[in-house]
Amino acid sequence: MKVVLFCGGLGTRIRDYSEAVPKPMIPLGPQPIMRHVMQYYSDYGHEDFILCLGYKANVVKDFFLNSRPQMFADCVVTGDGRDVRLLDDSHRGWQVTLIDTGIWRNIGERLWAARDLVRDEDMFLANYSDGLTDVDLDDMERKFRASGKVACFLAVPPPVTYHFADIAEDGHVREFRSSTSSDIWINGGYFMFRPEIFDFMREGEELVLEPFRRLIEANMLMAYKHNGFWRAMDTLRDWQVLEDMVEKGNMPWNRQMRERSGHTGLAVARS
């Protein structure tokens, strides 16, 4: 399936880093988080990417136009660097379409701008490009196909350490419970769509507001609940946690690495 990646946001909550580069290009280890996301989809066989660019689009374009894959893969170098042979060249089948969707557009507008590239697809995928997960994408796809719905999103527990209070109108406290034990779910930013999604959209609208409300009214929206690993890179602290995981070789979102090590995944990362 084609994968639409939203790469044009300003990243205002992680400004310490994203003044210089667009948020999806902030590095985790030797490669940007966006490439970790792309590798995740590639591990499941989805290698046709559509990148909706905006803020500092030239940085993303430069990355792909002047990319040296040996910087991210094990390789054999001979002839003082003149001959480089990759030990893993699985990325060579990737097709990357780069489209400039404007600096100030929201996610819905960026998807709308890419509609002609996915209209003829049976289904397509979409992602915010700034979050990582170990969700079983094949299982998510099977359940979405069987549902007959138009849209599906990954639902995850909120990655917070707050305690929720159940309070009556008179101020009586009924219960305190941790966020981990509450039945609250948030949008994890991993989407599956049928082309009919555009029938529920209007130009200028944010994706998960008006279009999703129409989908709910038509009973055409599905949530796929996931209690495994998920973390978005919204703040500098999030980046620090993910960077530490990469440095330690603990990358549950990397399916190939997980299968080689026999690792089955982690709970949602919280800190």
Side-chain angles (χ1 to χ4, degrees):
M1 289 186 283
K2 291 187 176 181
V3 184
V4 179
L5 299 178
F6 307 118
C7 310
L10 298 176
T12 54
R13 285 181 291 179
I14 194 169
R15 267 302 198 202
D16 288 348
Y17 217 125
S18 60
E19 282 286 357
V21 298
K23 186 179 178 183
M25 292 301 296
I26 294 176
L28 288 179
Q31 57 185 323
I33 186 172
M34 180 177 64
R35 199 176 187 284
H36 286 272
V37 174
M38 295 172 74
Q39 185 61 58
Y40 166 82
Y41 283 110
S42 179
D43 287 345
Y44 284 92
H46 308 297
E47 300 181 333
D48 190 346
F49 299 98
I50 300 169
L51 274 55
C52 299
L53 309 181
Y55 178 66
K56 293 190 180 295
N58 61 306
V59 176
V60 182
K61 287 184 177 180
D62 181 72
F63 175 79
F64 287 99
L65 292 173
N66 300 295
S67 176
R68 294 194 298 161
Q70 57 266 35
M71 298 296 292
F72 314 121
D74 294 336
C75 57
V76 177
V77 181
T78 56
D80 295 327
R82 291 188 299 274
D83 182 30
V84 179
R85 178 171 59 87
L86 299 180
L87 298 180
D88 176 14
D89 61 354
S90 57
H91 70 284
R92 287 188 180 276
W94 293 7
Q95 175 172 300
V96 182
T97 301
L98 304 167
I99 60 172
D100 194 336
T101 57
I103 295 178
W104 299 110
R105 284 185 170 178
N106 60 42
I107 295 298
E109 290 174 303
R110 296 190 194 285
L111 180 58
W112 185 262
R115 65 192 183 281
D116 289 340
L117 299 175
V118 294
R119 275 196 184 278
D120 296 330
E121 302 300 309
D122 174 44
M123 285 172 49
F124 66 95
L125 309 169
N127 196 290
Y128 289 151
S129 301
D130 63 358
L132 299 167
T133 185
D134 66 351
V135 68
D136 185 337
L137 197 64
D138 288 341
D139 186 61
M140 184 175 176
E141 178 190 344
R142 282 192 295 269
K143 291 181 178 177
F144 177 51
R145 286 188 182 277
S147 73
K149 307 287 188 183
V150 170
C152 175
F153 71 96
L154 180 68
V156 297
V160 296
T161 55
Y162 298 114
H163 288 84
F164 298 134
D166 183 0
I167 305 173
E169 287 294 326
D170 61 0
H172 172 71
V173 179
R174 301 189 186 99
E175 181 187 13
F176 255 105
R177 59 184 181 276
S178 70
S179 57
T180 57
S181 61
S182 64
D183 190 27
I184 297 176
W185 299 85
I186 64 173
N187 167 26
Y190 283 67
F191 302 100
M192 293 185 175
F193 295 121
R194 301 182 196 275
E196 289 81 5
I197 182 62
F198 298 107
D199 297 335
F200 291 83
M201 299 177 65
R202 307 291 182 269
E203 192 169 3
E205 293 180 342
E206 179 57 85
L207 177 61
V208 299
L209 296 178
E210 295 92 350
F212 273 31
R213 176 179 52 79
R214 297 184 189 106
L215 287 167
I216 292 170
E217 291 172 351
N219 193 26
M220 283 295 165
L221 179 64
M222 170 188 167
Y224 183 91
K225 292 183 176 181
H226 179 59
N227 275 301
F229 175 81
W230 175 88
R231 185 151 195 145
M233 193 179 67
D234 286 330
T235 66
L236 188 59
R237 174 58 181 161
D238 293 325
W239 172 79
Q240 290 169 338
V241 171
L242 290 170
E243 178 72 6
D244 184 64
M245 293 178 68
V246 171
E247 289 179 357
K248 293 177 179 177
N250 177 20
M251 296 187 289
W253 59 86
N254 189 308
R255 187 185 188 187
Q256 294 181 11
M257 180 178 292
R258 195 169 68 242
E259 290 175 349
R260 285 197 300 267
S261 65
H263 185 54
T264 57
L266 300 174
V268 177
R270 292 179 172 86
S271 59

